[in-house]
């Protein structure tokens, strides 16, 4: 009787425990990071700060993946966010520590490692490599190594064990991509079956090459002229390059790009809202499989409503607001009458949202023809991929043409 | 919701309405009570059977016990339901709850709430803010809109527990708004229609009768504001009577013709049920029962048992006396639509306190109209905070399933924190809204909740005395609600005495 009673209570607790578990992890790591970040935003009114916090917390994908699909992404993303927060206060050691914790929690955070590395390196260079800069470099290196050692200590008994852990973390044998993901390789495979054309080794080398080619410009500029603003944009463009060109990418990795984009929602509200909507849309096949269609529609509509009312995104579409002033000035050097950015962007936004809405409706209601059973997931992936390429160009353009800290423009190709 | 300050007029209201509708959509897959099966059964009955069978059908235990207009409403819904799932319309499919059925029924509640949204919009226009703040978030209109649209009680009763109170309260608030706009006939019509949708609103009928008699049928007042008996207009009272008769004829007419009126009445007013519901509504009878049980346990002779009360004194008597007493007061003083609203709230509260087989959900009948007064005066705001917090807390036992615990606690916190902070901000210059005793009482709700939901199920008493959490909740809330009722009564009486003295 007693055991039956205890089992009954245990069963009851088990049903509530897992789902509320994610909430506890969220409350401890991610949510405080977001709130503190918004509290300490510079040059913004209290209203805008609250609006930013609300919009970031309402971001649909994280909610749906963590609570619906069920994962604990908010812990690693929260740690990375703490890293960014500490770095914005020049507490470099704490920032590196936080980021190391993030990487050791989930190795996907390596997508963000290059911007962190380049920014800190750039700061050391700025302070001069002889003297203060070198001291800082050594301190950071020590922090990173120490945190890795502490995390890996239980597994450091043999080399074979470390190798096995690495093999599990980086499953190179699995192939270029799995399932339908809004990746270049998956989208290209609609036209050319890359898996049949090239050997696995060549595929690996090709993806490596493309990834680094696309993220190199932003990283170099960040190292040479480190600033917090450039750092945040570099986080986005590097993570996006990894997402688009890397090996064995899961569609959930888009979260790594979205969280840095959320951080800039009060600077470029229209583009950030647009990107966040596309990132949620790219998860549609996964969400449909998990039965989260209603939650997806409701949270996306709520997010769009809140962003639209809080930031009045449709009114703020000047070149200044889109951060494209420097770029359009350069273009006007060649084509004097070019002023079309606001109009182009606005119309593209409306077309894109309509297209996503139609595809959502079709995926949810219609059954695909027998000859093309994966028609809808593939269309979603291809459409999202095209959007992501556009955003990659956009964010890279901002980093490369940005001259906010008053130095001369350096065109780096 | 952070809406752009100074944004276009209707924009923030639409954003609030859209936001709460999206939240309601998220609540679609939550727990639903037997009321879900009740309404599915009524859909089936009205769809398949002729009108003459509606009040006789008894295959399911959930027989039709709402007035005819509601039955016609279910009939109309059933014609949309057949496109979602034909099986839900089969009477024999007891407890049928396929995904399509749940989706359709929940969606119908969300959709009919449009009437409530419209009524809230009309009420917001007539709010009298003494000091309209410059910030949108501090305007009385905005606060009232949130308190009405995002009302926690309505959300969990309608969208989780499952009922159709939204559009019914919409009809009531709309009739109140029409009376504020001096469109008396429309107000009367709306209320008459409402009565034939759900007869629980008969609790507040005395307020309507007396107000319409006083302010509409007597066309003029004497110089000091009191009644001028000679200005009685027979035309107006005839018009009112016509409206009521017409609506009643439309509703009960077919059943009168079929000779089924006694059956309908017996279905609508089932007096065989006991004085108290299975879960005691936190009213006077809960306190009485608690004292009675304590005396029984202690061992003294208890000559106050509810069988005695039930058979000797109709329980409605005290509430009826209450209602007539303050409506009698109203006859002598012309206080206008606001006085009517106070009267309505007092009627609803008194009926809640003393009524027969009252459901705890009936507290919403008092909470929603009180929201209208709470944004206008600090005294009313204080009473509103006590009544709302205890009233909403008393609804907690309705949702007892584990997954809903987090939802109900978080939603309650959201609403309570907002109501306290916004009303305090609105009346910042008037001092504290609640005294220390009231604050302590409300704060003690937190340990009570922790005890009932978390501590008690882990103790060995759970099997022997499973009713303890319900008892504690009911009795504790009854104290708060009784206190709020008395406080409101006293403040209305003292106000009317002051007004009378001023007039003299």
């Amino acid at each position: 009787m007693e055991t039956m009673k205890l089992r009954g209570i245990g069963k009851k607790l088990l049903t509530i425990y897992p789902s509320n578990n994610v909430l506890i992890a969220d409350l401890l790591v991610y949510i405080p990071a977001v709130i503190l970040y918004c509290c300490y935003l510079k040059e913004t009114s209290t209203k805008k700060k609250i609006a930013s916090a609300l919009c970031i917390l309402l971001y649909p994908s994280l909610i749906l993946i963590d609570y619906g699909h069920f994962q604990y992404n908010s812990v690693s993303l929260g740690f990375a966010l703490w890293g960014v927060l500490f770095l914005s206060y020049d507490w470099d050691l704490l920032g590196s520590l936080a980021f190391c914790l993030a990487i050791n929690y989930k190795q996907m955070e390596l997508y963000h490692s290059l911007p962190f590395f380049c920014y800190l390196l750039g700061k050391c260079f700025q302070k001069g490599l002889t003297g203060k800069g070198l001291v800082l470099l050594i301190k950071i290196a020590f922090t990173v190594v120490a945190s890795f050692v502490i995390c890996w200590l239980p597994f450091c008994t043999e080399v074979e064990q470390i190798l096995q852990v690495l093999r599990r973390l980086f499953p190179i044998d699995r192939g270029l991509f799995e399932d339908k993901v809004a990746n270049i390789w998956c989208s290209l495979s609609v036209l050319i079956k890359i898996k049949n054309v090239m050997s696995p080794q060549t595929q690996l080398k090709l993806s490596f090459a493309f990834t680094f080619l696309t993220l190199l410009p932003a990283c170099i500029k960040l190292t040479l002229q480190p600033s917090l603003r450039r750092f945040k944009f570099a986080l986005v463009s590097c993570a996006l390059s990894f997402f688009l060109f890397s090996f064995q990418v899961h569609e959930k990795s888009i979260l790594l790009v979205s969280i840095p984009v959320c951080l800039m929602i009060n600077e470029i509200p229209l583009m950030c809202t647009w990107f966040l909507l596309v990132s949620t849309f790219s998860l549609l096949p996964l969400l449909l499989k998990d039965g989260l269609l209603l939650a997806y529609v409701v949270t996306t509509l709520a997010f769009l409503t809140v962003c639209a009312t809080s930031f009045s995104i449709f009114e703020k579409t000047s070149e200044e607001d889109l951060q494209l002033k420097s770029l359009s000035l350069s273009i006007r050097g060649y084509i004097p009458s070019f002023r079309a950015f606001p109009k182009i962007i606005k119309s593209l936004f409306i077309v894109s949202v309509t297209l996503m809405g139609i595809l959502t409706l079709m995926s949810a209601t219609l059954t695909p023809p027998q000859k093309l059973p994966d028609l809808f997931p593939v269309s979603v992936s291809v459409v999202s991929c095209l959007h992501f390429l556009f955003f990659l160009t956009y964010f890279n353009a901002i980093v490369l043409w940005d001259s906010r800290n008053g130095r001369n423009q350096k065109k780096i190709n | 919701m952070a809406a752009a300050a100074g944004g276009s007029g209707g924009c923030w209201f639409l954003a609030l309405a859209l936001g709460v509708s999206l939240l309601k959509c998220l609540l679609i897959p939550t727990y639903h009570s037997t009321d879900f099966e009740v309404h599915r059964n009524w859909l089936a009955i009205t769809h398949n059977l002729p009108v003459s069978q509606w009040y006789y059908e008894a295959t399911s235990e959930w027989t039709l016990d709402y007035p005819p207009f509601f039955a016609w409403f279910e009939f109309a819904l059933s014609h949309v339901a057949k496109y979602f799932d034909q099986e839900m319309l089969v009477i024999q499919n007891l407890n049928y709850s396929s995904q399509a059925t749940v989706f359709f029924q929940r969606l119908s509640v969300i959709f009919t709430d449009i009437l409530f949204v419209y009524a809230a919009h009309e009420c917001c226009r007539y709010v009298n803010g003494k000091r309209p703040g410059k910030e949108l978030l501090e305007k009385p209109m905005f606060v009232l809109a949130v308190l009405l649209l995002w009302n926690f009680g309505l959300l969990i009763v309608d969208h989780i527990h499952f009922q159709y109170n939204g559009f019914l309260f919409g009809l009531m608030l709309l009739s109140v708004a029409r009376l504020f706009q001096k469109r008396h006939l429309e107000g009367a019509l709306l209320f008459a229609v409402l009565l034939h949708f759900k007869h629980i609103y008969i609790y507040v009928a005395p307020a309507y009768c007396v107000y319409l008699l006083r302010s509409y049928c007597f066309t003029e007042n004497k110089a000091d504001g009191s009644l001028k008996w000679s200005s009685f207009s027979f035309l107006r009272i005839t018009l009112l009577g016509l409206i009521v008769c017409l609506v009643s004829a439309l509703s009960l007419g077919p059943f009168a013709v079929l000779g089924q009126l006694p059956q309908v009445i017996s279905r609508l007013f089932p007096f065989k049920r006991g004085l108290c519901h299975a879960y005691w509504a936190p009213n006077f009878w809960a306190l009485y029962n608690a004292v009675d049980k304590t005396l029984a346990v202690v061992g003294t002779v208890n000559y106050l048992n509810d069988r005695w009360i039930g058979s000797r004194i109709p329980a409605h008597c005290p509430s009826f006396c209450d209602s007539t007493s303050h409506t009698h007061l109203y006859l002598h003083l012309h206080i206008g639509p606001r006085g009517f609203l106070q009267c309505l709230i007092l009627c609803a509260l008194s009926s809640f306190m003393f009524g027969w087989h009252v459901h705890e959900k009936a507290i919403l009948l008092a909470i929603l109209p009180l929201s209208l007064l709470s944004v206008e005066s600090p005294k009313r705001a204080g009473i509103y905070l006590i009544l709302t917090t205890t009233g909403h807390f008393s609804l907690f036992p309705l949702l007892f399933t584990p997954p809903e615990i987090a939802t109900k606690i978080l939603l309650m916190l959201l609403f309570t924190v907002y109501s306290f902070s916004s009303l305090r901000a609105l009346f910042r210059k008037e001092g504290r809204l609640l005294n220390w005793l009231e604050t302590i009482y409300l704060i003690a709700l937190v340990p009570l909740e922790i005890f009932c939901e978390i501590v008690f199920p882990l103790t060995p008493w759970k099997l022997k005395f499973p009713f303890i959490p319900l008892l504690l909740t009911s009795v504790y809330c009854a104290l708060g609600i009784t206190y709020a009722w008395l406080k409101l009564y006293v403040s209305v009486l003292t106000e009317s005495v002051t007004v009378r003295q001023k007039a003299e």
Side-chain angles (χ1 to χ4, degrees):
Chain A
M1 255 309 260
E2 284 291 313
T3 21
M4 293 294 278
K5 235 197 303 174
L6 283 169
R7 249 189 231 156
I9 298 173
K11 263 195 199 158
K12 230 190 186 185
L13 283 173
L14 261 178
T15 46
I16 338 170
Y17 187 58
S19 38
N20 293 348
N21 217 359
V22 188
L23 181 64
I24 297 171
D26 246 357
L27 281 172
L28 285 175
V29 185
Y30 180 69
I31 294 180
V34 171
I35 293 180
L36 278 174
Y37 177 82
C38 292
C39 272
Y40 296 109
L41 278 174
K42 298 174 185 120
E43 297 159 27
T44 35
S45 63
T46 321
K47 266 216 154 124
K48 275 268 143 66
K49 288 183 189 173
I50 299 176
S52 312
L54 188 65
C55 290
I56 299 178
L57 290 173
L58 272 178
Y59 172 52
S61 301
L62 191 56
I63 301 176
L64 292 169
I65 296 287
D66 268 12
Y67 292 88
H69 187 72
F70 202 75
Q71 279 198 336
Y72 287 87
N73 291 308
S74 54
V75 179
S76 62
L77 293 168
F79 277 128
L81 204 49
W82 279 109
V84 174
L85 194 62
F86 288 140
L87 286 183
S88 66
Y89 280 95
D90 286 328
W91 297 341
D92 300 323
L93 296 180
L94 277 173
S96 340
L97 178 66
F99 186 64
C100 290
L101 285 174
I103 297 182
N104 282 308
Y105 184 87
K106 219 164 182 181
Q107 77 278 20
M108 279 203 316
E109 283 291 331
L110 281 171
Y111 284 18
H112 290 153
S113 53
L114 270 172
F116 270 87
F117 175 71
C118 295
Y119 177 65
L120 289 169
L121 196 64
K123 263 184 146 179
C124 297
F125 283 164
Q126 249 188 347
K127 294 199 172 163
L129 254 186
T130 51
K132 273 196 183 168
L134 191 61
V135 172
L136 184 62
L137 188 61
I138 294 174
K139 275 200 255 181
I140 295 175
F142 181 72
T143 320
V144 171
V145 170
S147 47
F148 265 87
V149 164
I150 295 174
C151 291
W152 284 67
L153 211 51
F155 302 97
C156 285
T157 46
E158 302 173 346
V159 180
E160 179 52 42
Q161 207 173 21
I162 300 178
L163 281 178
Q164 177 62 8
V165 177
L166 285 172
R167 243 175 263 142
R168 284 286 179 86
L169 289 178
F170 303 103
I172 309 178
D173 324 318
R174 281 209 206 150
L176 199 53
F177 61 86
E178 222 172 85
D179 234 351
K180 309 288 169 282
V181 63
N183 193 311
I184 286 286
W185 308 125
C186 182
S187 311
L188 270 180
S189 71
V190 173
L191 302 165
I192 328 164
K193 294 286 171 217
I194 297 186
K195 285 188 176 172
N196 303 338
V197 167
M198 283 183 243
S199 71
Q201 296 290 29
T202 335
Q203 287 170 20
L204 188 61
K205 287 182 197 160
L206 191 67
S207 83
F208 194 76
F210 265 93
T211 316
F212 275 94
L213 265 176
T214 41
L215 55 83
L216 225 44
C219 286
I220 294 177
K221 176 124 192 203
L222 183 62
T223 320
L224 294 175
Q225 298 170 359
S227 84
L228 196 65
R229 199 164 164 275
R230 227 164 268 145
F231 169 57
K232 287 193 259 186
F233 281 110
L235 277 173
V236 177
S237 53
C238 290
L240 197 49
S241 308
F242 267 105
F243 180 82
L244 283 172
F245 297 103
S246 178
F247 215 77
Q248 253 309 299
V249 174
H250 281 267
E251 60 255 297
K252 300 186 239 33
S253 313
I254 197 65
L255 288 172
L256 291 161
V257 191
S258 310
I259 301 301
V261 171
C262 286
L263 298 182
M264 293 185 289
I265 200 158
N266 66 320
E267 284 179 51
I268 16 173
L270 177 64
M271 300 302 280
C272 290
T273 313
W274 190 1
F275 181 87
L276 295 171
L277 285 173
V278 176
S279 63
T280 316
F281 172 71
S282 71
L283 293 167
L284 185 61
L286 182 66
L287 298 173
L288 280 175
K289 248 191 265 173
D290 284 336
L292 289 169
L293 176 66
L294 181 67
Y296 160 74
V297 170
V298 170
T299 43
T300 312
L301 282 174
F303 179 73
L304 184 57
T305 318
V306 174
C307 288
T309 43
S310 316
F311 292 106
S312 17
I313 50 178
F314 296 112
E315 282 109 52
K316 293 201 174 150
T317 48
S318 71
E319 283 168 7
E320 183 65 45
D321 291 317
L322 293 172
Q323 313 285 336
L324 288 174
K325 202 164 186 129
S326 340
L327 177 60
S328 46
L329 277 172
S330 327
I331 296 185
R332 256 176 254 147
Y334 299 103
I335 314 168
S337 58
F338 183 79
R339 270 169 220 287
F341 267 139
K343 269 192 235 161
I344 298 176
I345 302 257
K346 227 179 180 175
S347 30
L348 278 177
F349 177 74
I350 294 176
V351 168
S352 150
V353 172
T354 327
L355 183 62
M356 291 195 287
I358 294 175
L359 267 177
T360 313
L361 202 63
M362 283 169 51
S363 304
T365 46
L366 304 174
T367 45
Q370 279 215 334
K371 277 190 221 163
L372 305 162
D374 284 327
L375 178 65
F376 294 128
V378 170
S379 343
V380 168
S381 306
V382 170
V383 167
S384 314
C385 184
L386 290 170
H387 279 93
F388 290 145
L389 278 171
F390 165 70
F391 280 108
L392 184 67
T393 335
Y394 172 77
F395 283 113
N396 269 315
I398 297 187
V399 177
L400 297 174
W401 266 269
D402 174 53
S403 58
R404 270 287 179 91
N405 60 351
R407 295 200 183 182
N408 296 335
Q409 265 184 322
K410 273 190 186 172
K411 258 196 194 170
I412 300 172
N413 283 328
Chain B
M1 292 277 198
S8 52
C11 190
W12 58 266
F13 191 83
L14 273 174
L16 283 176
L18 185 64
V20 79
S21 307
L22 290 172
L23 178 64
K24 291 172 190 173
C25 288
L26 281 176
L27 294 174
I28 287 181
T30 51
Y31 156 80
H32 51 80
S33 68
T34 47
D35 274 326
F36 181 85
E37 167 60 17
V38 171
H39 289 281
R40 185 215 63 80
N41 186 42
W42 293 356
L43 280 174
I45 291 178
T46 50
H47 189 80
N48 293 313
L49 300 176
V51 177
S52 55
Q53 291 288 318
W54 286 359
Y55 283 94
Y56 281 94
E57 170 58 40
T59 313
S60 158
E61 56 175 318
W62 311 115
T63 53
L64 188 58
D65 56 3
Y66 274 18
F69 276 176
F70 201 90
W72 288 108
F73 166 72
E74 294 276 9
F75 177 69
L77 274 182
S78 68
H79 284 286
V80 183
K82 62 186 181 201
Y83 297 110
F84 281 77
D85 187 346
Q86 283 276 17
E87 295 296 311
M88 77 169 105
L89 297 173
V90 177
I91 302 179
Q92 278 71 28
N93 280 347
L94 298 181
N95 294 311
Y96 182 76
S97 55
S98 70
Q99 268 208 339
T101 315
V102 174
F103 188 64
F104 167 72
Q105 295 238 62
R106 294 272 197 213
L107 215 61
S108 64
V109 185
I110 298 172
F111 185 72
T112 50
D113 270 356
I114 288 180
L115 187 56
F116 183 72
V117 170
Y118 175 66
H121 184 256
E122 289 292 300
C123 286
C124 287
R125 282 165 58 190
Y126 288 93
V127 148
N128 183 19
K130 283 182 195 161
R131 264 185 310 268
K134 288 180 201 154
E135 287 286 325
L136 173 69
L137 296 178
E138 288 196 6
K139 284 209 173 108
M141 252 172 42
F142 182 83
V143 176
L144 179 64
V146 178
L147 291 178
L148 284 177
L149 291 173
W150 286 70
N151 186 293
F152 167 77
L154 206 55
L155 264 175
I156 63 167
V157 170
D158 264 17
H159 301 278
I160 302 184
H161 183 82
F162 197 83
Q163 274 202 335
Y164 282 92
N165 292 308
F167 83 96
L168 295 172
F169 279 114
L171 276 174
M172 187 177 89
L173 288 176
L174 197 57
S175 76
V176 169
R178 291 290 177 254
L179 291 178
F180 268 70
Q181 295 166 345
K182 311 271 186 224
R183 286 149 76 166
H184 297 98
L185 288 176
E186 281 183 47
L189 175 67
L190 285 166
F191 185 70
V193 168
L194 176 64
L195 265 186
H196 287 277
F197 264 105
K198 197 168 178 179
H199 50 296
I200 201 175
Y201 293 92
I202 213 164
Y203 286 166
V204 299
Y208 275 87
C209 290
V210 176
Y211 175 72
L212 285 170
L213 205 65
R214 175 72 181 78
S215 297
Y216 185 61
C217 298
F218 289 96
T219 45
E220 285 166 34
N221 294 313
K222 289 192 205 156
D224 64 351
S226 67
L227 202 53
K228 190 173 182 183
W229 292 93
S230 58
S231 69
F232 186 75
S233 157
F234 277 103
L235 173 67
R236 290 189 171 188
I237 199 167
T238 326
L239 277 172
L240 282 177
L242 253 173
I243 288 177
V244 174
C245 289
L246 203 68
V247 173
S248 307
L250 229 84
S251 153
L252 296 168
F255 298 96
V257 163
L258 290 165
Q260 290 184 353
L261 265 183
Q263 170 69 0
V264 174
I265 302 289
S266 76
R267 282 286 181 89
L268 256 55
F269 300 101
F271 273 111
K272 290 191 214 108
R273 298 186 195 166
L275 180 62
C276 280
H277 198 37
Y279 161 60
W280 303 342
N283 60 10
F284 173 77
W285 302 120
L287 290 173
Y288 162 77
N289 273 336
V291 170
D292 185 41
K293 291 260 186 296
T294 324
L295 288 176
V297 163
V298 166
T300 49
V301 174
N302 61 332
Y303 46 85
L304 300 165
N305 56 61
D306 81 318
R307 257 175 295 159
W308 189 91
I309 277 245
S311 56
R312 305 290 169 94
I313 306 175
H316 263 307
C317 224
S319 68
F320 187 68
C321 298
D322 257 311
S323 317
T324 42
S325 63
H326 47 255
T327 50
H328 173 257
L329 184 77
Y330 187 76
L331 263 175
H332 286 273
L333 257 76
H334 184 68
I335 318 176
R338 247 162 214 90
F340 155 69
L341 194 55
Q342 285 167 349
C343 194
L344 188 144
I345 298 167
L346 282 172
C347 281
L349 260 181
S350 312
S351 315
F352 180 82
M353 289 302 299
F354 296 103
W356 182 273
H357 203 81
V358 171
H359 281 250
E360 59 282 348
K361 304 178 214 104
I363 195 66
L364 290 174
L365 202 59
I367 290 179
L368 287 171
L370 189 54
S371 323
L372 294 166
L373 292 179
S374 68
V375 295
E376 292 184 359
S377 103
K379 260 195 181 169
R380 302 283 181 268
I383 300 173
Y384 173 78
L385 287 174
I386 306 172
L387 186 66
T388 311
T389 317
T390 37
H392 285 168
F393 185 79
S394 71
L395 294 172
F396 267 23
L398 283 176
L399 305 178
F400 49 83
T401 43
E404 269 69 41
I405 293 178
T407 314
K408 75 182 179 194
I409 293 179
L410 286 171
L411 281 178
M412 170 88 177
L413 274 177
L414 191 71
F415 184 79
T416 315
V417 166
Y418 179 79
S419 55
F420 271 83
S421 57
S422 62
L423 287 175
R424 238 191 344 182
L426 209 54
F427 299 114
R428 200 177 290 136
K429 296 182 189 161
E430 318 274 355
R432 297 176 64 112
L433 292 173
L434 299 173
N435 64 37
W436 64 270
L437 189 66
E438 295 162 351
T439 320
I440 292 178
Y441 172 81
L442 289 178
I443 291 177
L445 284 173
V446 176
L448 179 66
E449 169 65 8
I450 295 175
F451 175 75
C452 290
E453 297 269 18
I454 302 173
V455 175
F456 186 78
L458 298 171
T459 57
W461 299 312
K462 182 171 161 60
L463 285 174
K464 257 202 199 168
F465 309 111
F467 56 84
I468 294 263
L470 298 178
L471 178 85
L472 285 174
T473 314
S474 179
V475 172
Y476 194 77
C477 292
L479 291 170
I481 293 177
T482 319
Y483 175 76
W485 171 64
L486 287 170
K487 204 173 176 189
L488 185 62
Y489 220 135
V490 164
S491 94
V492 167
L493 281 177
T494 44
E495 248 179 49
S496 44
V497 167
T498 334
V499 168
R500 197 174 197 181
Q501 281 175 345
K502 269 194 195 160
E504 283 162 11

